[in-house]
């Protein structure tokens, strides 16, 4: 019996004994590699074996969980055991209002992505008729705009932040945006650079950066280009958050496990490219937060040449702890690694 079959057998026995019940998370690929001291490829085969036996399933935003022995018939709007539960709001509880509709929509999008959002789904969460929502919001596009207004509303700059030099001011704005995208992975794809939506609560970011660079002597068009470049960098990096969440939900594998499964294919692809071959053999610890920080500092280095007064202090750590405010729960780390031979 292969090692992955032995480990899968152990987990199957725990499920059969009731130690792992329907909806409980099973060990991730990383946990399996650490607990059983096996390679990532072996850990991936373990979960694949359990899925093939119908014992586990992937749940968006949760991971791999024990499957129901006899899945109940349910409405698509209601999550099964193990899925992230969204508190339901009876319509009688304060009545149907725009704020309650938008709050429910944000919770759905945070948990399952924009693709799961619909007027019908929101109405179901609120125990309301779908058509009743249209008395408060115009349509789905209008609802998404209101959602963006809501998630941007808590973000603020303090008077003390205004005393910072230009570079820490831009760092602060960029990190606040990054944390916001972290807290709401759907937000990056919802926002448009070429066709900006009328989101008034997002304007403080633009005003903050424009006023910062104009005060340093940049003309207004150049200052606006700096703002757009920084915004586009943060948003572009954040687009990976929702894409990875969707891919993990669809495959039941995190990025690390997926890369391990593709290792043989990549080794063949890079065989004729010595530097890539070396990188693939040695491995690379891919961390999106570290990638964001590296790119942010290099972008700010580039902006420094535009500032007539010269560059402000460089490098991470120039923004005081506690500067700015963001919604609670923002900025949770998300890490994955490339395969190693």
């Amino acid at each position: 019996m292969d090692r992955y079959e032995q480990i899968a057998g152990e987990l199957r026995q725990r499920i059969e004994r009731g130690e792992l019940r329907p909806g409980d998370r099973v060990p991730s690929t990383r946990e399996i590699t650490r607990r059983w001291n096996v390679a990532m490829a072996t850990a991936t085969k373990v979960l694949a074996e359990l899925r093939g036996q119908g014992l586990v399933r992937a749940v968006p935003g949760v991971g791999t969980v024990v499957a129901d022995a006899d899945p109940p018939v349910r409405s698509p709007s209601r999550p099964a055991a193990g899925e992230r539960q969204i508190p339901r709001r009876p319509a009688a509880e304060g009545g149907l209002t725009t704020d309650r509709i938008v709050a429910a929509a944000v919770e759905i999008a945070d948990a399952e992505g924009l693709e799961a959002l619909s007027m019908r789904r929101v109405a179901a969460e609120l125990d309301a008729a779908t058509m009743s929502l249209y008395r408060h919001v115009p349509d789905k596009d209008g609802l998404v705009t209101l959602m963006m207004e809501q998630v941007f509303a808590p973000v603020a700059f303090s008077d003390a932040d205004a005393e910072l030099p230009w570079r820490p001011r831009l760092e602060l704005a960029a990190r606040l945006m990054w944390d916001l995208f972290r807290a709401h992975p759907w937000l990056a794809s919802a926002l448009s650079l070429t066709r900006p939506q009328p989101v008034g609560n997002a304007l403080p970011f633009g005003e903050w950066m424009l006023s910062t660079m104009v005060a340093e002597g940049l003309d207004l068009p150049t200052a606006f280009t700096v703002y757009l470049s920084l915004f586009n960098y943060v948003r572009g990096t954040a687009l990976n958050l929702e894409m990875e969440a969707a891919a993990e939900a669809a495959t039941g594998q995190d990025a690390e496990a997926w890369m391990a499964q593709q290792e043989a294919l990549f080794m063949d692809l890079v065989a004729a490219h010595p530097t890539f071959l070396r990188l693939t053999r040695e491995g690379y610890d891919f961390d999106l937060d570290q990638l964001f920080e590296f790119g942010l500092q290099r972008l700010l280095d580039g902006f420094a040449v535009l500032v007539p007064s010269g560059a402000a202090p460089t490098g991470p750590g120039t923004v005081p702890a506690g500067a700015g405010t963001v919604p609670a729960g923002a900025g949770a780390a998300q890490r994955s690694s490339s395969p190693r031979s």
Side-chain angles (χ1 to χ4, degrees):
M1 182 182 293
D2 290 335
R3 183 61 173 145
Y4 80 89
E5 293 176 314
Q6 294 175 348
I7 299 171
E10 292 179 35
L11 291 174
R12 181 175 61 252
Q13 290 176 7
R14 291 186 61 191
I15 293 172
E16 291 172 347
R17 290 195 300 263
E19 296 175 15
L20 290 172
R21 305 175 64 183
D24 288 348
R25 288 193 61 181
V26 299
S28 66
T29 51
R30 184 172 297 182
E31 289 173 311
I32 292 172
T33 61
R34 183 172 60 250
R35 188 180 304 178
W36 280 276
N37 193 29
V38 295
M40 182 61 67
T42 300
T44 301
K45 288 182 179 180
V46 171
L47 294 185
E49 176 71 12
L50 293 173
R51 280 195 300 274
Q53 296 176 18
L55 295 173
V56 300
R57 60 188 177 85
V59 175
V62 176
T64 302
V65 304
V66 178
D68 293 324
D70 186 14
V73 177
R74 64 185 181 93
S75 165
S77 66
R78 299 179 184 274
E83 292 184 9
R84 187 178 301 181
Q85 300 291 324
I86 299 175
R88 301 181 64 77
R89 304 172 179 78
E93 187 183 301
L96 195 62
T97 65
T98 302
D99 287 345
R100 294 183 66 241
I101 293 170
V102 173
V106 168
E107 290 188 6
I108 292 169
D110 284 350
E112 302 173 43
L114 276 183
E115 288 188 1
L117 182 68
S118 68
M119 300 296 275
R120 177 180 295 181
R121 175 67 189 279
V122 175
E125 295 299 330
L126 294 170
D127 284 334
T130 302
M131 294 307 296
S132 66
L133 270 60
Y134 290 96
R135 293 197 292 268
H136 302 274
V137 296
D139 50 30
K140 182 179 175 179
D141 287 342
L143 175 59
V144 172
T145 299
L146 292 173
M147 290 164 60
M148 291 189 285
E149 288 279 19
Q150 184 181 96
V151 299
F152 271 105
V155 184
F157 300 98
S158 70
D159 291 340
D161 297 336
E163 302 302 317
L164 294 170
W166 73 266
R167 181 163 180 151
R169 281 171 63 100
L170 293 194
E171 275 189 83
L172 173 60
R175 292 199 179 112
L176 286 174
M177 282 194 289
W178 178 247
D179 286 344
L180 201 59
F181 289 135
R182 272 290 196 194
H184 308 284
W186 54 270
L187 183 59
S189 62
L191 285 168
S192 174
L193 179 71
T194 57
R195 301 188 181 190
Q197 299 94 332
V199 182
N201 287 335
L203 286 177
F205 279 103
E207 179 64 28
W208 178 264
M209 284 185 260
L210 282 173
S211 62
T212 295
M213 302 313 289
V214 167
E216 292 297 324
L218 274 66
D219 59 83
L220 195 55
T222 302
F224 190 52
T225 301
V226 167
Y227 161 61
L228 291 177
S229 298
L230 188 57
F231 167 77
N232 196 46
Y233 167 71
V234 180
R235 174 184 175 270
T237 306
L239 285 172
N240 294 284
L241 298 172
E242 187 176 33
M243 293 170 62
E244 173 54 28
E248 185 170 336
T251 64
Q253 297 175 309
D254 60 19
E256 190 173 28
W258 184 88
M259 287 295 292
Q261 192 175 47
Q262 306 297 316
E263 183 173 6
L265 173 61
F266 281 111
M267 290 298 289
D268 288 341
L269 285 174
V270 303
H273 304 278
T275 309
F276 262 118
L277 180 60
R278 177 186 169 192
L279 178 66
T280 305
R281 284 175 172 168
E282 294 180 3
Y284 177 81
D285 288 330
F286 181 87
D287 186 304
L288 203 56
D289 290 300
Q290 292 182 6
L291 185 67
F292 163 75
E293 284 292 341
F294 179 88
L296 173 62
Q297 296 306 322
R298 304 295 76 74
L299 195 60
L300 294 174
D301 289 344
F303 292 159
V305 303
L306 301 173
V307 179
S309 59
T314 62
T318 56
V319 178
T325 58
V326 295
Q334 190 176 70
R335 183 181 176 86
S336 61
S337 303
S338 68
R340 283 182 169 82
S341 57

